[in-house]
Amino acid sequence: MTTEITSGQEPAARPADAVTDEQLIAMLVDRARGDGLKLTGEGGLLQQLTKRVLESALDGEITDHVGYDKHDPAGRGSGNTRNGSRTKTVLTDVGPVEVRVPRDAAGTFEPQIVRKRQRRLTGVDDMVLSLSAKGLTHGEIAAHLAEVYGAEVSKQTISTITDKVMDGMAEWQNRPLDKVYPVVFIDAINVKIRDGQVANRPIYLAMAVTVDGHRDILGIWAGDGGEGAKHWLHVLTELKNRGVADVLMLVCDGLKGLPEAVETVWPRTIVQTCVVHLLRNSFRYAARQDWDKIAKALKPVYTAPTEDAATERFLEFTDAWGKKYPAIVKLWENAWAEFVPFLAFDVEIRKVICSTNAIESVNARIRKAVRARGHFPNEQAALKCVYMALMSLDPTGTGRRRWTMRWKAPLNAFQIAFEGRLTPANN
């Protein structure tokens, strides 16, 4: 059966926008091919499209501002009229683009898409920050932009862009924190700072795990390597003033004066030495050919079921290796008080707190950025580099999801072992 269309009916129209978009793209590509036009690069199709889109948007803005369309007689006697345009070059993701910015007779037009005195669109700033977070120097970023986009950007301009993050860093460093954290890791990254002469300086990082199993970087602080209880009291008091009322366990690498400061700020917090760091420090005193033997001999110590059993295994280690490597024995004896606490807890808690592996992935990203830069002119530049590296962590969120799943079992163990102390953060 055939259905006829009467004279009063029209066939259903195809989606106009879809057809128009497809036809427009095909026309542009065909025209580019016919004219021998490149897709990218100076004078390329994308650059021309960007120019036309920006100028079209600016024309729309001036129309809204003066209240009438271009060449519309309604504008006569309106009190404000178009007053030509001026050209300016802006740096975009597809390279430098020259655009005509309209003006009005009253001089009150403030364009938003390309603001007055703006020479870069936001995508370029984001690109500079991303490259800087990966450790590229200002000179390397300038060379990259010139090579890939044909854009001449000075080192000073790049410095101005990256300096903008300092405002965000100050706000981030002072933001309110959770009331309680199951565990906080404190570790140090050594950076080279030129202060008269180039020297290693530590940048301390505090990373917490929330009651929901999320990773939260609490803050970063620069030190001079001689930090004691007074320094750590200042850092921990800052965290407490930002809302941290309780920390169940604090894991660190034998930082001098830190246990005393923790006792003052959070009296119930257990300070735990990082076992992995303890092992690494032990290897410093041993010949390379003995590392595997030392690791095998120490394993029964940190995997012992109780503190008494760990003491027995350590005495056996001392008998076997004490004469050859007395410095290793002394190292463990000095760290013993902060080493044994985790032996009293469930295996899931042990997995979490016997090492700072949880913070190693963060440190790896920071070290990569720091090594790429070589050294820094001052402390502020080093902090800026570390902050930018932290802000670029896990852009897809995949690591966050994997991290959260990994922490479910330890958090349940914390809930049981520290009954009642996690509850305030859940309310």
Side-chain angles (χ1 to χ4, degrees), residues 60-333:
E61 288 189 35
I62 190 70
T63 295
D64 289 341
H65 181 71
V66 298
Y68 65 92
D69 290 325
K70 196 172 185 178
H71 307 305
D72 189 336
R76 297 171 184 171
S78 63
N80 193 12
T81 59
R82 284 174 165 80
N83 187 29
S85 62
R86 58 184 177 84
T87 60
K88 67 184 295 185
T89 300
V90 292
L91 184 60
T92 72
D93 292 343
V94 296
V97 175
E98 187 179 85
V99 294
R100 294 192 307 272
V101 181
R103 298 182 297 186
D104 63 330
T108 56
F109 176 52
E110 296 283 347
Q112 299 301 308
I113 190 69
V114 181
R115 297 176 183 273
K116 289 183 177 179
R117 292 176 293 279
Q118 183 179 2
R119 296 295 176 182
R120 305 176 309 276
L121 297 189
T122 54
V124 176
D125 285 17
D126 293 340
M127 189 187 311
V128 169
L129 294 176
S130 176
L131 293 172
S132 184
K134 290 176 172 59
L136 272 69
T137 64
H138 293 171
E140 290 169 336
I141 294 173
H144 173 81
L145 293 175
E147 179 181 353
V148 177
Y149 300 100
E152 297 296 331
V153 183
S154 68
K155 294 181 182 180
Q156 182 57 48
T157 298
I158 294 171
S159 180
T160 300
I161 295 172
T162 57
D163 282 345
K164 291 180 182 178
V165 305
M166 298 308 292
D167 292 337
M169 177 179 165
E171 183 178 350
W172 171 80
Q173 185 79 12
N174 291 285
R175 74 194 188 282
L177 301 174
D178 291 351
K179 190 172 183 180
V180 60
Y181 290 103
V183 59
V184 170
F185 301 90
I186 294 183
D187 204 1
I189 296 290
N190 285 318
V191 301
K192 295 184 183 298
I193 295 178
R194 186 179 67 248
D195 186 9
Q197 61 182 4
V198 177
N200 281 326
R201 294 269 301 276
I203 300 291
Y204 296 103
L205 171 74
M207 189 197 79
V209 179
T210 71
V211 294
D212 296 319
H214 298 152
R215 180 172 58 193
D216 188 11
I217 309 298
L218 306 184
I220 53 177
W221 300 266
D224 58 17
E227 289 72 34
K230 184 177 180 180
H231 169 84
W232 291 114
L233 182 62
H234 171 76
V235 170
L236 300 184
T237 300
E238 176 185 319
L239 295 177
K240 186 173 184 179
N241 290 341
R242 289 166 60 193
V244 184
D246 193 13
V247 173
L248 304 189
M249 302 197 76
L250 188 142
V251 182
C252 63
D253 179 26
L255 296 172
K256 184 179 178 181
L258 183 55
E260 294 85 346
V262 173
E263 174 67 24
T264 300
V265 179
W266 300 304
R268 295 192 294 172
T269 298
I270 295 174
V271 178
Q272 172 66 45
T273 290
C274 164
V275 177
V276 168
H277 276 88
L278 201 52
L279 288 170
R280 290 175 183 169
N281 292 336
S282 299
F283 296 150
R284 293 178 182 175
Y285 299 107
R288 179 65 181 85
Q289 63 267 23
D290 289 333
W291 284 7
D292 289 342
K293 297 175 184 177
I294 294 292
K296 185 177 181 180
L298 285 172
K299 187 173 181 179
V301 179
Y302 62 83
T303 58
T306 64
E307 181 178 347
D308 290 340
T311 301
E312 291 179 10
R313 303 290 83 77
F314 181 65
L315 291 175
E316 293 172 0
F317 173 84
T318 301
D319 291 340
W321 294 95
K323 289 184 179 180
K324 187 172 185 179
Y325 296 122
I328 297 180
V329 173
K330 185 177 180 181
L331 175 71
W332 281 73
E333 288 176 344

Side-chain angles (χ1 to χ4, degrees), residues 351-405:
K351 289 179 182 178
V352 170
I353 64 176
C354 74
S355 77
T356 55
N357 286 347
I359 205 172
E360 284 303 316
S361 62
V362 177
N363 284 350
R365 175 66 66 86
I366 297 173
R367 287 191 183 98
K368 183 178 180 180
V370 167
R371 280 198 299 266
R373 291 292 299 272
H375 66 270
F376 300 90
N378 51 54
E379 179 183 290
Q380 197 73 353
L383 286 170
K384 181 171 71 171
C385 178
V386 172
Y387 170 73
M388 292 174 67
L390 290 175
M391 293 302 103
S392 66
L393 288 172
D394 194 28
T396 65
T398 302
R400 179 185 177 91
R401 291 189 293 271
R402 187 166 57 243
W403 172 278
T404 302
M405 291 301 297

